[in-house]
Amino acid sequence: MSLRTRLVATLLVLAAAGLLALGGITYATQRSFLIQRVDDQASSALGAVGHQLDEHGARAPGAPLGPGAPGPRGGRPGDGGPDREAFDLPSGTYGQRRDASGKVLGSVVVSAVVGTPAAPALPARMRAGQTVTVPAKGDSGVSYRARAFGDESGRGVTIVAIPLTGVNGSLHRLLLVEGLVVAGVLLLLAGASWVLVRIGLRPLDRIG
């Protein structure tokens, strides 16, 4: 291998390592941001999900009405309460209520449309405050971000699960863009470095 080739190859290896490190940091940062946004959406969705679960009778014995349930402090259709909030939730948002022993009392799907993914495969036990990423039931390739919220009495747990379809789509597009950018930069750098190294080594070629 000639000196010119070794210099160009070394430069490309160093550039590729730097670009891949930068791409990895960008991907990790973007993924953390998107996941945090989904977690915030789950917290915001608690009122609408709790409202619908209470309407379906999914309430632990003796537990107070869930957040946003009908009542003196609850929302009603048309007043900007949980029913209106449901329209702002990601399609396929899933809610489940369990009693203190972990028994499932009921479940609902909020903002369901055609193509809504299968329900999430939630763990048998989830404590209040726990957040997990779980796959959907079956082999759909869809995953959910699920978060558990305890009620004030400690007699029930409401789980809000939001599909990560949008997050995964954004991350896949980011990977594609990063791959194209890295490939394009390396190609341009390879051409430019070959020319510059060739010009820089002319004195040695003359000596040779």
Side-chain angles (χ1 to χ4, degrees), residues 51-58 105 107-108:
H51 174 76
Q52 293 203 14
L53 285 168
D54 285 326
E55 283 191 337
H56 284 75
L105 302 174
S107 60
V108 294

Side-chain angles (χ1 to χ4, degrees), residues 32-56:
S32 177
F33 168 77
L34 292 175
I35 292 296
Q36 182 59 52
R37 189 173 68 176
V38 172
D39 290 344
D40 293 340
Q41 286 178 324
S43 298
S44 301
L46 179 60
V49 171
H51 174 76
Q52 293 203 14
L53 285 168
D54 285 326
E55 283 191 337
H56 284 75

Side-chain angles (χ1 to χ4, degrees), residues 44-56 67-71 74-89 110-111:
S44 301
L46 179 60
V49 171
H51 174 76
Q52 293 203 14
L53 285 168
D54 285 326
E55 283 191 337
H56 284 75
R76 294 276 185 188
D79 66 357
D83 287 323
R84 178 173 297 178
E85 292 173 6
F87 291 103
D88 299 328
L89 299 179
V110 185
S111 301

Side-chain angles (χ1 to χ4, degrees), residues 49-196:
V49 171
H51 174 76
Q52 293 203 14
L53 285 168
D54 285 326
E55 283 191 337
H56 284 75
R59 186 159 58 94
L65 290 174
R73 298 183 182 179
R76 294 276 185 188
D79 66 357
D83 287 323
R84 178 173 297 178
E85 292 173 6
F87 291 103
D88 299 328
L89 299 179
S91 174
T93 297
Y94 178 88
Q96 185 181 95
R97 179 156 299 149
R98 302 177 179 182
D99 61 17
S101 67
K103 178 183 177 181
V104 177
L105 302 174
S107 60
V108 294
V109 179
V110 185
S111 301
V113 296
V114 177
T116 296
L122 297 172
R125 300 286 297 180
M126 282 191 72
R127 64 182 184 278
Q130 183 180 0
T131 304
V132 295
T133 301
V134 296
K137 294 179 180 178
D139 191 20
S140 62
V142 178
S143 57
Y144 282 82
R145 185 74 170 174
R147 190 170 188 179
F149 303 87
D151 61 31
E152 296 179 357
S153 68
R155 298 181 180 179
V157 174
T158 300
I159 300 173
V160 179
I162 296 180
L164 294 177
T165 307
V167 172
N168 293 334
S170 297
L171 293 176
H172 289 160
R173 288 191 295 272
L174 176 60
L175 278 178
L176 177 61
V177 171
E178 286 185 341
L180 293 175
V181 169
V182 169
V185 170
L186 290 178
L187 285 174
L188 291 174
L189 186 59
S193 60
W194 182 265
V195 173
L196 292 175

